[in-house]
Amino acid sequence: MKKYFVIITLIIVLLITLTGCTTNNIVKKDEFSIVSSFYPVYTILENITQGAQNVKVENMTSTNIGCLHDYTLTTTDLKKLEQADIFIASGVENFIDSINNTYPNLKIINSTTDAPNIISDEQGINNHMWLDISNYIWQVKVITKNLIECNPENKTTYEENSNSYIQELEELKTWAKEEFTTTKKCINFDEALDYLKYDMNLEIYTIKTDHEQSGLSVETISSIIEYIKQNNIKNIITSKDSNNTNAEIIAAETGAKIYKLDTAITGNNEDPEAYLSAMEYNIEQIKTMED
């Protein structure tokens, strides 16, 4: 009887150990499966997991899907999560509760929790935090820590890749700090770009619209034009993938110049340098703005 008690106890301990980072069916697999919610998170995983053994990295949504504010999960999305060991999110997702209810044993990580620079207003938190380099570095560190906890077999690889990537990001941040020593004022048509203010020394007045920039009344456009003239603002920033009709109308009336910037929210699956390239592009564009 004592022998059976010891065996049962060992089984219970093993199950408890596995529940921290496990598959949805609590089954030990040869392959460690990581799923990201969308492209900015996937780019981090591409960098951290290079060379890791027996690791599968998959992006849940299409890399061209854009922001996930109002995204609805598909059957294909849920299929990708069935055998996932860990799901990495970024805070913009509105469907985390649904995933948690469907796969209660899946480990879900919000990589932006407690990030150093958080913008919020009466409408809530602006979750496009990855466009601040310090926040992005924070995400890299949070993701690395959780991957090591859940897949310690690749600890050295994750640490080395993370340190190398963070060094590149720190160099990018230093370049921006050295480049932008004076403040530049701008009107912003994409709230994701608000986070550029930390690294690019921007004073931003954001126009609250949807991502298609629709719905601005004639009165609102008129008030923006008046604000630009009164405050001598010469720059308008917007996402290069957005509908820029309203920005173009306002630019024509004020003489302000439009700068189409990269939100790093979509891109190529096979490009681990995507974030660095996007931010380098933004720096070069903002360099040409008027003070």
Side-chain angles (χ1 to χ4, degrees):
M1 189 71 180
K2 183 177 181 181
K3 177 181 176 182
Y4 291 121
F5 176 78
V6 171
I7 292 172
I8 292 170
T9 301
L10 288 173
I11 292 172
I12 292 171
V13 170
L14 179 61
L15 288 174
I16 291 172
T17 302
L18 288 173
T19 54
C21 293
T22 180
T23 65
N24 300 313
N25 298 316
I26 318 183
V27 175
K28 179 68 176 177
K29 301 183 302 178
D30 292 332
E31 188 176 60
F32 182 69
S33 175
I34 312 166
V35 177
S36 58
S37 59
F38 72 140
Y39 191 63
V41 179
Y42 181 78
T43 303
I44 294 175
L45 290 173
E46 273 194 300
N47 283 276
I48 298 175
T49 62
Q50 287 185 51
Q53 298 301 305
N54 301 317
V55 169
K56 177 185 177 182
V57 179
E58 193 170 16
N59 196 41
M60 189 187 72
T61 57
S62 165
T63 54
N64 294 312
I65 202 68
C67 197
L68 300 182
H69 278 304
D70 303 312
Y71 185 77
T72 301
L73 289 169
T74 68
T75 303
T76 302
D77 296 335
L78 293 173
K79 187 75 174 174
K80 292 178 181 179
L81 294 171
E82 279 184 1
Q83 296 301 317
D85 292 282
I86 186 169
F87 177 68
I88 313 290
S90 189
V92 297
E93 302 84 356
N94 66 342
F95 47 71
I96 298 301
D97 287 343
S98 296
I99 292 177
N100 194 41
N101 290 335
T102 305
Y103 302 115
N105 293 317
L106 175 63
K107 186 173 179 65
I108 300 174
I109 301 300
N110 179 352
S111 58
T112 59
T113 300
D114 298 325
N117 296 319
I118 299 176
I119 297 173
S120 61
D121 56 25
E122 66 280 355
Q123 294 179 321
I125 293 176
N126 179 340
N127 288 304
H128 305 83
M129 297 182 196
W130 66 90
L131 280 180
D132 168 65
I133 302 172
S134 294
N135 286 343
Y136 191 73
I137 291 171
W138 176 270
Q139 288 183 269
V140 173
K141 291 179 178 179
V142 168
I143 292 171
T144 301
K145 176 179 178 291
N146 281 276
L147 291 185
I148 290 171
E149 288 178 357
C150 295
N151 183 229
E153 295 88 344
N154 283 295
K155 179 178 184 291
T156 301
T157 299
Y158 293 146
E159 286 179 337
E160 290 177 353
N161 287 341
S162 179
N163 290 337
S164 177
Y165 193 37
I166 288 172
Q167 182 177 341
E168 289 186 275
L169 293 167
E170 291 287 2
E171 290 171 358
L172 182 70
K173 189 167 69 169
T174 298
W175 176 33
K177 184 177 179 179
E178 292 173 348
E179 197 69 55
F180 303 115
T181 56
T182 59
T183 302
K184 298 181 179 184
K185 295 188 292 186
C186 59
I187 296 291
N188 176 25
F189 276 93
D190 189 323
E191 66 175 353
L193 300 173
D194 284 351
Y195 277 97
L196 293 178
K197 72 179 184 179
Y198 293 108
D199 297 307
M200 316 297 180
N201 201 3
L202 295 175
E203 183 180 322
I204 298 175
Y205 177 77
T206 301
I207 309 301
K208 297 292 184 181
T209 68
D210 59 28
H211 287 283
E212 296 301 319
Q213 294 189 26
S214 60
L216 287 186
S217 65
V218 174
E219 291 78 10
T220 299
I221 292 175
S222 296
S223 67
I224 295 169
I225 291 171
E226 186 62 26
Y227 183 88
I228 289 174
K229 290 179 178 178
Q230 288 180 354
N231 292 276
N232 194 29
I233 297 174
K234 302 172 184 177
N235 312 299
I236 297 173
I237 59 174
T238 183
S239 166
K240 63 181 184 179
D241 299 320
S242 296
N243 177 340
N244 295 307
T245 302
N246 291 322
E248 289 167 357
I249 291 171
I250 292 168
E253 290 294 323
T254 61
K257 185 177 178 180
I258 298 174
Y259 297 84
K260 299 178 182 180
L261 305 180
D262 195 332
T263 58
I265 205 169
T266 60
N268 183 346
N269 248 348
E270 307 302 322
D271 184 12
E273 300 295 301
Y275 179 83
L276 292 167
S277 298
M279 295 301 282
E280 287 167 1
Y281 169 84
N282 290 338
I283 290 172
E284 293 293 349
Q285 290 294 305
I286 294 169
K287 277 170 61 176
T288 65
M289 283 185 181
E290 293 190 52
D291 293 343

